[in-house]
Amino acid sequence: MPLERADSTNGVGGAPTQHGRIGLALAGGGFLAAAWELGALCALSEAIEGFEPTRLDAYVGVSAGSFVAAGLVNGVTPHRMVQLFVEGDRAGETLEPSQLLRPAVDEWWKAFRTLPRSLRRAMRGACEAGIRHPQTALWQGIDELLRVLPDGFVDGQPGERALAHLFGESGRTNDFRRTRAPLRIVATDIDSGMPVAFGSNGYEHVPISRAAVASSAVPGLFPPVRIGTHRYVDGALNKTLHASLALDAGAGLVFCLNPLVPFDGSRAGARRVSRSGPAAVLAQTMRATIRSRMTVGLEKYRVTHPDADIVLFEPHRDDAEIFFANIFSVASRRRLCEHAYRVTRADLLERRDELAPQLQRHGLSLDEAVLRAETPRLVRASSPARVRALETPASLALRRLSATLHELERSLAIARASAGSSRRAPDAARSA
């Protein structure tokens, strides 16, 4: 998790860089990446004095990071999002992934209706190619049939409705123009290949929930999301973080979270990507491309934003926990969130000497007492899905009470560690 410093002049057309203004840029990577970001954010909020994820000055989200950024700007704390997204809080509001995904029935029906016509075209092409060129006829037929496949297999509308409901609660908003701080959600116009920052001038009228779903529409998995006359897909196709949007909003310090890094399995005994199947090879290729592109972007900020500081958090290259996690497993999501929380706490303590002056310039400081104290558990132990399905209103209320008591216990432990540090400081000064 290296630290990057942007030594540059202010971005063209952006607000002047201001010390004390803090931004957050979140990359994507699917449900597991969001779980990793939430675990890391919980660690940062507990260990950095003055860092309040719901009270920052600029937010940027790409793909899965857009869901997290949109929740934060609406006052939903990282710890609450862990309950909603990672633990699957089914009492009231929830962002449980299993409830956000469903087959793209409309896309499949559209493909089914065009199948007879495509088959006729394929057969006609094969006949025209003739017996002399059977391979040509075969590939023409395959090409014609591939055109029948739907644009996506998963419908993102349940996720959009869940976000719209969440942001419709009192004190929250689904309108970019009414957020307490600038929020930018980046998607890619599939027809032009250009990135679009929803929430910026000309794109602020789009509902936040719609923009987040568009930014998360992984090509091939989700159909492109139609907004106006354009169709949009995953915002990570162009850049990984788009942290420049937070810098252009005047942020002097930007926390960047990137869950996707290539896995380094070169050490003895490490699991090899090359022996883990085609999915692992594709994931490694994608992560290497994303990480290389992000490095170029961070170097560019040295030229475009002179006085800004950028602090990057990401998994270690040899962290097999995130790379080989099962993306469809609820247990993996919970385990990864807890893992990110603990690793980030340890990383903050390890990097305290280089981080301290960076944070101090912007009115923040590390609470070493919290970091040195015993790490409390972030994610509660899960209950079986079958038991949850049979829960009565009374048992549901008890589970919510248990969650509240768990969070209270965590808060008290952190407060005791911090208070102990505060008491020791005056004693040390007097003895000196």
Side-chain angles (χ1 to χ4, degrees), residues 31-33 35 85-87 96-98 101 321 324-337 382:
F31 290 135
L32 290 181
F85 177 77
V86 178
E87 297 176 340
E96 166 62 37
S98 64
L101 303 178
E321 183 73 27
F324 293 104
N326 183 349
I327 62 174
F328 300 108
S329 168
V330 175
S332 291
R333 195 167 66 247
R334 300 170 66 92
R335 186 170 60 251
L336 184 59
C337 184
S382 61

Side-chain angles (χ1 to χ4, degrees), residues 257-297:
L257 273 62
N258 171 47
L260 297 183
V261 296
F263 176 68
D264 182 4
S266 60
R267 76 179 191 279
R271 184 173 176 179
R272 295 302 180 104
V273 174
S274 58
R275 300 174 185 173
S276 301
V281 173
L282 287 173
Q284 180 79 321
T285 303
M286 178 192 69
R287 288 165 181 253
T289 302
I290 287 176
R291 187 60 178 82
S292 174
R293 195 168 52 190
M294 187 186 71
T295 301
V296 173

